[in-house]
Amino acid sequence: MESLLRIDGLEVSFGGLSALDAVSLSVRPGEVLGVIGPNGAGKTTLFNAVCGFVRPAAGTLHWQDRALPWPRPHQLARLGIARTLQGLGLFPRLTVLENVMVGATRHARAGFASALLGLPRSDRDERLLRHRSLAVLRELGAEDAAGRLPGELPYGVQKQVALARALVGEPRLLLLDEPASGLSEDGMRELGEVISGLRERMSVILVEHHMDLVMRVCDRVLVLDFGKVIAYGTPDEVRDDPLVTEAYLGDEVTEGTPAPADTAAPAAPGSREESSRA
Amino acid sequence: MYFINLTLGGVSSGIVYAAVALALVLIWRATRIVNFAQGGMLMITTFVALGVIDATGSYWLGLLAALVSGFVLGAVVERVLVRPIENGPPMNAVIVTLGLLLFLQAVAGMVWGGSPRSFPPLLGIKGFTVGDARLLLSPSDLFVIGAVLVVMALLVLLFRVTPVGLRMRAAAFSPEVARMFGVRVGRVLTLGWALAGAVGALAGVLVAPATFVGPNQFDAVLVFGFAAAVVGGLDSPPGAVVGGLVVGLTLSYVSGYLGSEVALLGALAVLMTVLMIRPNGLFSRTSVRRV
């Protein structure tokens, strides 16, 4: 298998405004791909396209070297794609453990009938899910919170829970949407170690603002600006790329670059879902 | 003694309102729809039960038929009528479920006629005696209370300790996120309606010996079930049970001490009091979550 996920020529537009323009990328098995870019560059939109929350106007997707139609949200778990959300999206009235157990849904086999009749299969399923979920919480150091409701917990712990919920399904591809936001220095260091440790088990796409984290844990980095890929390579290559510096520092754009001016009008503040959310 | 009897009567009728309320709560939690057709659905399934009892002579087969037909009816209603309007304005759902209620009542009138029929209780309806006092509690009442409690316990188990129940709760709170983690939200909603259909069917069979069976015989039960669900907060199964008991007891005390003609006013007073003090019901933890 050459690439786990490959995307070619992805285009997404919202009401005629181009949010992603000819974006291509690939993620190899066991690779951590960083996606960076200024607010409104289209990072979250990229995730939303992969997750089926927005329908691409164009572009193809290969999953394990096989062409697939763009997945719908309910197909993600079966494909082996899990995602964390910027807003975490934890279930408010489920305990932490139950939240994580929902993430392992695809491992639960017993249907409603066996649950209703109290058949051993459902019981076994339940214990298996519980066991597996506790193990993941333990791995992330959040097992003490297992019986609590998410709302009672500090933000950092909630983030761990959201990560545990994504990990427990043992995805092949994990999409992390700004996992470091709101974390302390220590929290960020731990997160870096966790992400690095995931390599053996899965590929990761990491959308993140914290450059040091991205540069530290990512094998390759893709830089988006105004919906276009302006750089794609190893952290060192990307760091030295003048286009990236321009995008981040807002230098004047020279001729011949993929000019943000093309899309400057539609990219007014607030017109991209990311900038309005940030 | 009089007080004890009023209490016993209130509990045994309240537990039926609790079952109806529970059916409404199951549907509200799953789809955020108030199912006005619940009374019509349980009326149909009680007719089915009556037919099976008449044909076979077995109460248990009749009860089983009611539960199964309620389950199927709930699922079919969700799939066929509710699914297309689920994302529309809430008023659409109100109109559809009210329309379904009228439709079911009309169909029942055409098929079974308009005059109420009697429904056999499983056990005797003569009250127990303590010394020389006769209690307002019969073996039949005990069966009603027991049956509802058993079903509630099963539902609690289903929701609390099975993966299916976990998925149902997750989908009720945030369907989009649940879907992303592989929860088949559509199936879960259908299941919620089906379970509500079965619970409503149970309530119908249990209350039928007292109300008789006819197209409009369950209207009052439905209204009290609504009151119970609203008192409990619409979102909470334990709330539905407490709400049912509160409404049952209120009706019983008011009609016992003040006269049965003001019983309805008593129920209304409870409803208004609760809504003024806790607008979201006794057991709601959050305010309106729907966006």
Side-chain angles (χ1 to χ4, degrees):
Chain A
M1 184 166 50
E2 196 147 304
S3 66
L4 180 67
L5 172 74
R6 201 179 87 222
I7 289 173
D8 294 297
L10 170 62
E11 316 226 346
V12 175
S13 55
F14 298 119
L17 307 181
S18 170
L20 288 175
D21 185 5
V23 171
S24 300
L25 61 87
S26 73
V27 190
R28 302 186 195 110
E31 182 182 35
V32 179
L33 173 68
V35 176
I36 60 173
N39 277 333
K43 305 186 293 291
T44 296
T45 305
L46 174 64
F47 274 10
N48 283 343
V50 174
C51 292
F53 289 151
V54 300
R55 301 303 278 168
T60 58
L61 179 145
H62 285 75
W63 179 250
Q64 297 178 327
D65 295 336
R66 259 183 37 228
L68 276 192
W70 290 90
R72 314 273 301 149
H74 68 269
Q75 297 166 330
L76 296 173
R78 198 162 34 84
L79 288 173
I81 300 177
R83 172 185 183 177
T84 64
L85 300 160
Q86 264 182 44
L88 299 187
L90 295 174
F91 303 111
R93 276 159 62 183
L94 269 56
T95 65
V96 162
L97 180 59
E98 288 171 338
N99 262 283
V100 178
M101 285 167 72
V102 172
T105 293
R106 79 177 177 116
H107 295 289
R109 289 276 151 262
F112 168 71
S114 33
L116 194 69
L117 302 173
L119 293 184
R121 190 168 186 193
S122 165
D123 194 38
R124 210 169 52 226
D125 259 10
E126 209 270 344
R127 256 178 307 163
L128 193 71
L129 287 189
R130 192 172 288 272
H131 187 74
R132 198 193 280 267
S133 305
L134 269 176
V136 175
L137 280 172
R138 193 174 307 130
E139 198 182 333
L140 296 177
E143 59 178 320
D144 293 342
R148 310 275 294 278
L149 293 176
E152 304 168 347
L153 299 168
Y155 187 64
V157 183
Q158 291 189 29
K159 296 209 86 150
Q160 286 174 320
V161 176
L163 181 58
R165 185 177 60 178
L167 285 179
V168 73
E170 295 174 359
R172 276 188 263 259
L173 177 64
L174 177 65
L175 309 176
L176 294 174
D177 202 346
E178 303 203 2
S181 67
L183 290 191
S184 63
E185 281 296 315
D186 285 347
M188 218 178 304
R189 194 169 325 114
E190 280 169 32
L191 178 68
E193 283 163 22
V194 169
I195 295 174
S196 301
L198 294 176
R199 270 200 188 81
E200 300 152 22
R201 292 185 272 164
M202 61 191 77
S203 309
V204 179
I205 303 183
L206 172 66
V207 160
E208 190 46 71
H209 277 300
H210 291 90
M211 280 300 185
D212 43 342
L213 178 68
V214 171
M215 295 300 171
R216 189 148 32 95
V217 303
C218 293
D219 301 304
R220 284 189 297 164
V221 177
L222 178 131
V223 189
L224 284 175
D225 191 28
F226 292 109
K228 291 183 176 166
V229 178
I230 59 168
Y232 188 20
T234 65
D236 288 335
E237 288 166 9
V238 164
R239 201 187 338 244
D240 299 336
D241 194 315
L243 284 179
V244 177
T245 329
E246 275 166 25
Y248 271 88
L249 300 180
D251 277 6
E252 214 169 277
V253 179
T254 51
E255 217 168 329
T257 60
D262 287 351
T263 47
S271 67
R272 304 282 178 85
E273 29 80 65
E274 276 182 357
S275 54
S276 57
R277 206 182 289 167
Chain B
M1 195 62 219
Y2 189 52
F3 176 76
I4 292 175
N5 267 337
L6 289 180
T7 308
L8 291 174
V11 168
S12 51
S13 57
I15 203 87
V16 175
Y17 306 147
V20 176
L22 197 59
L24 295 170
V25 166
L26 283 172
I27 286 177
W28 175 259
R29 275 166 61 109
T31 49
R32 300 280 137 178
I33 286 173
V34 175
N35 181 21
F36 291 99
Q38 196 79 54
M41 288 163 64
L42 69 88
M43 178 265 299
I44 295 285
T45 56
T46 310
F47 265 120
V48 169
L50 187 59
V52 171
I53 292 175
D54 284 345
T56 64
S58 162
Y59 181 90
W60 294 108
L61 280 181
L63 179 60
L64 184 67
L67 293 177
V68 171
S69 58
F71 192 87
V72 172
L73 186 59
V76 168
V77 167
E78 199 276 336
R79 270 289 144 98
V80 177
L81 294 177
V82 175
R83 188 64 62 89
I85 53 150
E86 220 154 53
N87 296 318
M91 191 53 79
N92 291 6
V94 173
I95 300 297
V96 165
T97 57
L98 273 177
L100 179 62
L101 174 65
L102 297 179
F103 173 77
L104 292 175
Q105 287 179 340
V107 167
M110 290 193 302
V111 176
W112 290 291
S115 53
R117 306 184 191 191
S118 66
F119 191 95
L122 174 66
L123 302 170
I125 51 168
K126 226 164 97 181
F128 294 106
T129 49
V130 178
D132 48 358
R134 183 171 292 278
L135 291 180
L136 207 62
L137 183 75
S138 65
S140 177
D141 292 332
L142 281 185
F143 172 71
V144 168
I145 295 171
V148 174
L149 290 181
V150 165
V151 165
M152 284 169 181
L154 285 177
L155 283 177
V156 168
L157 283 180
L158 177 70
F159 278 116
R160 289 288 147 191
V161 303
T162 71
V164 172
L166 182 63
R167 273 174 254 161
M168 292 183 74
R169 285 156 64 210
F173 294 140
S174 5
E176 282 308 316
V177 179
R179 186 172 286 129
M180 210 173 70
F181 287 103
V183 175
R184 310 289 294 266
V185 174
R187 279 193 203 174
V188 164
L189 301 188
T190 308
L191 183 56
W193 274 76
L195 285 175
V199 172
L202 174 77
V205 168
L206 293 178
V207 80
T211 60
F212 293 9
V213 190
N216 295 91
Q217 293 307 108
F218 298 104
D219 291 357
V221 176
L222 180 68
V223 170
F224 296 141
F226 272 128
V230 172
V231 165
L234 262 182
D235 222 354
S236 151
V241 177
V242 173
L245 293 177
V246 167
V247 171
L249 287 171
T250 306
L251 288 170
S252 183
Y253 291 141
V254 170
S255 61
Y257 290 118
L258 303 176
S260 56
E261 62 278 4
V262 290
L264 272 176
L265 289 179
L268 191 62
V270 169
L271 194 55
M272 288 180 60
T273 313
V274 168
L275 289 183
M276 280 195 294
I277 298 170
R278 297 211 49 172
N280 295 315
L282 291 176
F283 280 73
S284 68
R285 277 186 249 181
T286 51
S287 52
V288 178
R289 205 184 310 113
R290 178 136 195 178
V291 196

